[in-house]
Amino acid sequence: MASPRLKREQSFDFEEASAQEAVGSASASYSPPGGGGVFGISPPESSPRDGRKRRKDRPSLVKHTFTPHFDGHLWRKYGQKNIKDSAFPRLYYRCSYREDRQCLASKLVQQENDDDPPLYRVTYTYEHTCNTTPVPTPDVVAEQPPPGAAGDAYLLRFGSSAGGGGGGAHQQQTERERQQQNTARRRPFMMLSFDSSSSHQLHEQPHAFPPDGQLPATAAAASPSSFTAAEALAAPPLTTTMNDGGDLFSTWDALRYGLDYDHGHLGNHVYLPDDCNGGDDNY
DNA sequence: ATAATTTGACCGTG
DNA sequence: CACGGTCAAATTAT
């Protein structure tokens, strides 16, 4: 009858409290060279009896990006809630290794705008204590989006996070985003789309990318002369010219080819410009 | 069948 | 009291 809600032992008490906002800065690189990292906190192993840390005390990192799922880590969605202050629901993700490696790393993904390339505000809480090496994922961060001014172009910052070669964590994106018609009525902004060899849940998608690595004409044709992420992505010359310092290309190249290799099971990642969900907010 | 996801409800903090 | 956050169970997808 009633819901047997068991008493959960939520004794999350941490020390340290540095809520920094790395807005427009891809400096959110998780590289703890020796007990530091972005958060610089310690795992909750002490006796959480006295220090009643408030929620606000939790170390969190705010980052704006168009690819909230491209941080090189595996996240498991554990909740979704509608925020009164936001027209979009907030998604709660936790490290998939939380139970395996006690990784308390969690992140909140909230859509800020419903622009063609929806901007997501990702709030990272705690660092990954797991030993999993993040896959080289390009971070597309938006730099200070115009609040009210005519934002014609966002400053997309392409950065590569982590550079491990072993490949421990795989990106996994399993959002049930219904494929709506790509009506590029507004700005022909291109979305980042990575297709893997293995077909996943998106059986509805026959082919997101041509084998030759060409960008979908959907936006390609729609962007006659405008800086778009697609251009930057499609820019990398496939001619093995070995451009020194081509970190960007290197990353992308590895992403497009390295990840393409079905070494096991890579997650598909298809970003579609769907104007948020249809009114499907079952409340 | 397994795993991840989804949704609702409860708790904590402000 | 209200909002936000998390957990638990149920459902769905693979």
Side-chain angles (χ1 to χ4, degrees):
Chain A
M1 295 120 161
S3 15
R5 192 141 298 291
L6 300 172
K7 288 283 162 116
R8 56 191 112 102
E9 316 175 19
Q10 235 177 266
S11 334
F12 278 74
D13 283 277
F14 281 69
E15 288 285 336
E16 211 86 24
S18 302
Q20 324 181 353
E21 287 201 11
V23 180
S25 280
S27 328
S29 38
Y30 313 105
S31 326
V38 244
F39 304 104
I41 57 169
S42 311
E45 49 177 77
S46 297
S47 38
R49 49 168 88 153
D50 251 313
R52 280 238 179 160
K53 285 294 132 116
R54 283 159 209 179
R55 206 172 291 168
K56 286 177 73 170
D57 282 344
R58 277 194 248 176
S60 52
L61 263 155
V62 182
K63 197 164 128 190
H64 284 78
T65 176
F66 293 102
T67 56
H69 302 282
F70 273 103
D71 54 9
H73 284 282
L74 264 166
W75 304 92
R76 201 226 278 190
K77 188 174 176 180
Y78 71 86
Q80 176 176 335
K81 200 79 187 275
N82 260 24
I83 307 301
K84 230 172 108 81
D85 192 37
S86 292
F88 304 99
R90 188 170 290 182
L91 312 177
Y92 298 85
Y93 291 90
R94 278 188 103 161
C95 185
S96 294
Y97 294 94
R98 181 191 92 88
E99 300 171 8
D100 288 340
R101 298 296 299 171
Q102 292 241 307
C103 193
L104 295 158
S106 57
K107 83 171 172 185
L108 312 178
V109 179
Q110 183 172 19
Q111 187 171 343
E112 289 271 325
N113 298 313
D114 61 347
D115 219 323
D116 259 356
L119 187 71
Y120 293 95
R121 181 181 181 169
V122 187
T123 307
Y124 293 92
T125 312
Y126 299 130
E127 197 176 333
H128 287 269
T129 58
C130 52
N131 226 9
T132 55
T133 307
V135 296
T137 47
D139 281 337
V140 185
V141 192
E143 295 233 338
Q144 181 83 26
D152 265 300
Y154 286 87
L155 294 177
L156 304 181
R157 183 156 257 181
F158 299 91
S160 47
S161 117
H170 295 287
Q171 264 302 310
Q172 173 202 316
Q173 143 106 343
T174 33
E175 274 191 37
R176 277 155 215 2
E177 289 186 80
R178 290 291 181 202
Q179 253 200 36
Q180 301 192 350
Q181 50 192 46
N182 309 349
T183 45
R185 46 181 159 169
R186 240 193 176 183
R187 207 154 300 279
F189 234 108
M190 185 46 212
M191 262 35 75
L192 308 177
S193 326
F194 300 130
D195 77 307
S196 284
S197 303
S198 30
S199 41
H200 270 72
Q201 51 276 89
L202 285 177
H203 49 246
E204 192 74 53
Q205 186 143 345
H207 62 327
F209 263 64
D212 58 289
Q214 196 94 26
L215 269 281
T218 311
S223 55
S225 61
S226 277
F227 176 83
T228 58
E231 288 223 1
L233 303 181
L238 299 180
T239 45
T240 54
T241 319
M242 275 194 78
N243 278 340
D244 296 330
D247 271 288
L248 193 98
F249 297 155
S250 267
T251 306
W252 285 101
D253 194 50
L255 259 158
R256 292 176 73 180
Y257 299 110
L259 271 80
D260 206 22
Y261 289 129
D262 32 299
H263 270 288
H265 39 271
L266 269 168
N268 245 3
H269 210 114
V270 184
Y271 234 91
L272 290 165
D274 56 302
D275 293 348
C276 51
N277 288 0
D280 188 317
D281 32 285
N282 295 341
Y283 209 80

